[in-house]
Amino acid sequence: MDGYVESGKIPGIVTLVSRRGEVVVDAFGKQSLGGGSMRRDSIFRISSMTKPIVAAAAMILVEECKLRLNDRIDDLLPELADRKVLRRIDSPLDDTVPANRPITLRDLLTFKLGIGIVMAPPGLYPIQIALDEAGLTPGPNPLKVAPDEYMSRLGRLPLIHQPGEKWMYHLGSDILGILVARASGQSLEQFLHTRLFAPLGMKDTGFHVPAEKLNRFTSSYMAGKETGELAVHDEASASRWAEPPLFPSGGGGLVSTVDDYLAFCQMMLDKGVHNGERILSRPSIELMITDHLTPEQKADARIFFGEHSGWGFGLAVNTRRVDLATVPGRFGWDGGIGTTAYTDPVEGVIGILMTQRLMESPEPPGVFLDFWTSAYQSIDD
């Protein structure tokens, strides 16, 4: 890992590997270019590593019978009632047919609600343009729209596919966060803090970084368009994450540390229990980490899943071993601003890597691959 810092590819890295009670953490490089040294408790934008946390929050409400997996969600999200569906992905927005059925909570959790990120060049299809013009296109920066307005704008657009038909990335988690808030009667951050962060001791996890913690916040970087050298994406000292967001994104809004995220992963590995306190039941955890996609749905999303993974509730599940780390049953996800975390029940391994360099494609960058190879090559029993 140190080689990535020395080469200038990444300003700083924190790694954590846990196995059967032993935890090893290393910090390399700087929190920002020219700034202070990276620390074990440095705070990172974990982006899409938010998704498993919000899925777990939804399952808490399922266990309390405040939500049901197969119930239609338009009682709480009336903006999604009576959906229209495009005849084809390249259809004009008014070339639609009625949805075959309502959207369910299960659809949100498995990303089969019928709308999400279109993996095509920007502006290729009318629905892409409409999502962008409505301010709903996800990216590395917080959305500038409040949750109720988000739903209002989304409700004016058709679905791309029939509910349950195709897997489409991301929007399901953003909608899920709004559903959790409405079902619980709390803001998403309040519910996450009360039911997950406080019980798990995740003291540095939230949707923004308070002023007293900004000295531990990392700056984030991306590849420059012309030279390829690092360019600033978000400077910690003037960060977009320094204030509570207008839209607390269930798909990618959280900041966290390696130790905070370890607490969440360890709870998942321990079948829903943390320090003797039950957060979720074992059946809920097992349902979350089961692959819920058909072979055809995975084939359509090969850029995300390759030949080795599927999708559970808010996270990927390895289904086939194709390298050292893809152990069947291993689960987790990556964050687009340069983080990755997976939990392996077979080997008892939890691995977390946090960097500040934005990913340039859905395929994992070299630093992710090398981290996982290094972690798994060390297993000798």
Side-chain angles (χ1 to χ4, degrees):
M1 295 294 98
D2 205 28
Y4 279 94
V5 174
E6 291 178 352
S7 68
K9 294 178 181 178
I10 298 173
I13 298 172
V14 180
T15 62
L16 182 149
V17 180
S18 171
R19 187 173 191 239
R20 299 171 185 170
E22 182 180 3
V23 180
V24 177
V25 179
D26 288 296
F28 310 89
K30 303 291 186 179
Q31 291 190 150
S32 61
L33 292 175
S37 296
M38 193 66 80
R39 303 162 39 162
R40 177 171 181 157
D41 61 354
S42 292
I43 299 171
F44 293 80
R45 304 155 193 78
I46 63 170
S47 49
S48 287
M49 281 166 45
T50 302
K51 291 176 170 67
I53 291 175
V54 173
M59 290 307 298
I60 290 173
L61 293 171
V62 168
E63 291 194 348
E64 294 177 346
C65 299
K66 294 177 180 176
L67 293 173
R68 299 188 187 97
L69 288 171
N70 295 325
D71 277 2
R72 58 195 298 162
I73 58 173
D74 48 28
D75 285 346
L76 286 167
L77 299 174
E79 300 92 342
L80 296 183
D82 302 320
R83 291 292 77 209
K84 301 292 185 181
V85 183
L86 293 175
R87 290 183 185 274
R88 304 189 323 175
I89 193 170
D90 59 354
S91 290
L93 298 185
D94 58 357
D95 184 18
T96 61
V97 297
N100 292 336
R101 64 166 176 81
I103 298 169
T104 66
L105 172 59
R106 188 185 299 272
D107 293 330
L108 297 185
L109 288 162
T110 58
F111 286 4
K112 293 191 282 187
L113 66 158
I115 193 167
I117 294 177
V118 178
M119 301 305 295
L124 184 62
Y125 303 124
I127 187 63
Q128 288 175 284
I129 298 170
L131 284 166
D132 195 44
E133 290 177 345
L136 306 181
T137 301
N141 299 322
L143 292 179
K144 297 179 179 179
V145 58
D148 289 349
E149 179 61 22
Y150 177 99
M151 292 306 306
S152 177
R153 295 181 189 183
L154 186 66
R156 293 194 285 267
L157 299 177
L159 300 179
I160 300 171
H161 301 291
Q162 290 287 347
E165 183 181 44
K166 302 274 189 179
W167 185 91
M168 295 194 77
Y169 187 53
H170 186 83
L171 266 66
S173 286
D174 275 345
I175 299 167
L176 183 64
I178 298 170
L179 179 66
V180 167
R182 291 185 182 180
S184 66
Q186 299 176 278
S187 71
L188 179 59
E189 184 157 25
Q190 286 172 331
F191 185 81
L192 293 179
H193 177 78
T194 302
R195 305 304 300 273
L196 285 170
F197 300 159
L200 293 173
M202 297 171 67
K203 62 184 185 300
D204 291 322
T205 303
F207 286 105
H208 79 287
V209 182
E212 66 272 17
K213 297 182 180 182
L214 284 174
N215 66 313
R216 293 191 282 123
F217 194 32
T218 57
S219 296
S220 57
Y221 299 87
M222 55 190 172
K225 293 182 179 179
E226 296 180 2
T227 65
E229 295 182 359
L230 293 178
V232 174
H233 160 247
D234 186 66
E235 190 71 53
S237 60
S239 175
R240 301 174 182 90
W241 279 262
E243 300 290 340
L246 186 61
F247 183 79
S249 168
L254 290 174
V255 300
S256 192
T257 64
V258 291
D259 284 295
D260 272 17
Y261 210 81
L262 172 64
F264 175 76
C265 294
Q266 190 67 53
M267 179 273 293
M268 296 285 289
L269 180 62
D270 293 339
K271 303 296 185 181
V273 175
H274 175 76
N275 289 341
E277 180 180 354
R278 185 166 75 88
I279 308 297
L280 278 171
S281 68
R282 176 183 54 80
S284 285
I285 301 296
E286 291 175 351
L287 184 62
M288 288 181 67
I289 64 175
T290 295
D291 177 18
H292 293 278
L293 302 188
T294 67
E296 293 76 19
Q297 289 166 341
K298 286 184 278 192
D300 287 342
R302 188 170 281 112
I303 191 170
F304 288 94
F305 302 132
E307 304 294 335
H308 56 74
S309 293
W311 193 254
F313 287 177
L315 45 75
V317 182
N318 291 165
T319 56
R320 179 182 173 209
R321 190 161 208 164
V322 297
D323 56 31
L324 273 68
T326 53
V327 179
R330 173 176 169 263
F331 59 90
W333 198 231
D334 304 328
I337 303 182
T339 58
T340 182
Y342 276 80
T343 300
D344 180 348
V346 176
E347 295 286 358
V349 169
I350 297 169
I352 303 169
L353 169 73
M354 293 194 179
T355 82
Q356 325 105 292
R357 176 164 177 165
L358 273 65
M359 294 174 61
E360 295 166 25
S361 109
E363 297 177 335
V367 66
F368 288 16
L369 299 173
D370 292 346
F371 167 69
W372 291 117
T373 295
S374 299
Y376 275 78
Q377 65 81 29
S378 68
I379 295 174
D380 55 9
D381 61 354

